[in-house]
Amino acid sequence: MVENPDAATVDAVGKVTEALETVERARGHLYSFHQLTGSADLAFGDAVAQLRAAGHADWAERISEELIGLNVLPDRWTFQVVEEYDDGYYRECRDLVRSLLESLTGGRRHLQEQQMKADRRTPGRAGHEAGRPSTPPGGTRRTPALESSQGEQVFESEES
């Protein structure tokens, strides 16, 4: 494990994790797109029934035939778009970032933010405690042992 990566590495890895967080947000928007489009398709179905009941069978028929069940992309409903994204771009990003973190930071995910917290908090003040450090996902847990006289936390490793 890389115990203390240099500042340039921490900054570069921070940019990589920022990019992955943006990919995560994009994935969330893609799931929103999936759910919203599905909800719209169901609402069109409800509208068809109401249009028929209101005497507008021609419009009900057009919506039923032209919109309900329409592919959003050639040959694809939204669930297929989501699955392709998850199995392709998203998986590649996530796996590559995980490998990079393991190689350069021992898997620790938020070293840049950890340093920012250390720089910005007021040691000894309630609500400004250092807390536990960034840890690898499902990896070795590190727990705080004590706070030094300078207000910095000292850590000792525990076996998982």
Side-chain angles (χ1 to χ4, degrees):
M1 179 165 121
V2 178
E3 285 298 323
N4 295 308
D6 60 77
T9 299
V10 169
D11 288 346
V13 169
K15 188 54 76 175
V16 170
T17 59
E18 178 184 342
L20 181 61
E21 289 169 1
T22 301
V23 168
E24 292 285 2
R25 289 180 59 208
R27 183 173 180 249
H29 289 296
L30 186 58
Y31 273 83
S32 293
F33 160 74
H34 163 59
Q35 292 175 342
L36 291 168
T37 303
S39 295
D41 191 68
L42 294 173
F44 279 129
D46 293 343
V48 164
Q50 291 178 348
L51 285 166
R52 279 197 179 108
H56 305 288
D58 53 336
W59 283 108
E61 196 61 29
R62 277 195 68 190
I63 291 172
S64 183
E65 289 180 7
E66 295 176 31
L67 287 180
I68 294 177
L70 179 66
N71 289 329
V72 297
L73 294 172
D75 303 321
R76 290 178 190 83
W77 271 21
T78 59
F79 77 89
Q80 293 162 313
V81 174
V82 167
E83 288 178 358
E84 288 179 33
Y85 183 84
D86 278 352
D87 294 342
Y89 185 78
Y90 175 71
R91 179 181 293 156
E92 288 294 321
C93 288
R94 188 191 64 217
D95 292 350
L96 189 124
V97 170
R98 188 174 291 148
S99 294
L100 176 132
L101 290 172
E102 192 58 43
S103 174
L104 300 180
T105 69
R108 293 170 291 170
R109 297 168 281 181
H110 292 97
L111 291 182
Q112 191 175 40
E113 290 90 338
Q114 180 178 316
Q115 183 59 51
M116 182 186 299
K117 181 177 181 179
D119 292 344
R120 295 177 64 84
R121 71 184 197 90
T122 304
R125 184 167 182 89
H128 287 248
E129 296 81 13
R132 66 173 213 222
S134 178
T135 59
T140 304
R141 288 186 2 202
R142 293 170 54 96
T143 56
L146 55 101
E147 195 164 285
S148 72
S149 59
Q150 291 81 30
E152 299 171 341
Q153 285 208 332
V154 179
F155 294 89
E156 57 186 30
S157 294
E158 287 183 337
E159 291 297 318
S160 298

